[in-house]
């Protein structure tokens, strides 16, 4: 069975990886503004990937997970900033 390595699959998997890395960075950094910035950049990348992969439900699930993890990273940074 052949596996497709199309742009949509690559973009959506990278959105998930970037979201997870930004969330891990947000939990480990001591500077909240860096966490908010990383989360915001990851949100933009994930939303672009979500738009690219909108025609395939599997790709959309990967990109949506990336959006979720990016939002978590942004919220962790905001929580650290205002706490």
């Amino acid at each position: 069975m052949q596996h497709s390595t199309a742009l949509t699959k690559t973009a959506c998997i990278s959105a998930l990886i970037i979201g997870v890395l930004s969330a891990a960075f947000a939990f480990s950094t001591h500077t909240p503004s860096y966490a908010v910035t990383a989360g915001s950049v990851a949100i933009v990348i994930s939303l672009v990937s979500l738009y690219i992969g909108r025609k395939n439900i599997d790709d959309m699930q990967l990109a949506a997970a990336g959006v979720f993890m990016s939002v978590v990273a942004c919220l962790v940074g905001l929580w650290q900033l205002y706490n």
Side-chain angles (χ1 to χ4, degrees):
M1 175 182 251
Q2 289 183 344
H3 293 286
S4 174
T5 56
L7 172 68
T8 58
K9 182 71 74 177
T10 305
C12 294
I13 289 174
S14 65
L16 177 62
I17 292 170
I18 290 170
V20 168
L21 289 177
S22 67
F25 178 72
F27 279 111
S28 65
T29 188
H30 296 291
T31 309
S33 61
Y34 292 159
V36 173
T37 304
S40 301
V41 169
I43 286 172
V44 170
I45 291 170
S46 298
L47 287 175
V48 169
S49 297
L50 187 64
Y51 179 75
I52 290 172
R54 71 187 181 278
K55 294 181 181 175
N56 188 350
I57 191 69
D58 295 330
D59 295 340
M60 281 185 69
Q61 288 177 347
L62 290 171
V67 170
F68 175 74
M69 293 304 291
S70 302
V71 168
V72 167
C74 199
L75 289 176
V76 166
L78 289 173
W79 177 72
Q80 289 175 350
L81 190 65
Y82 293 113
N83 193 4

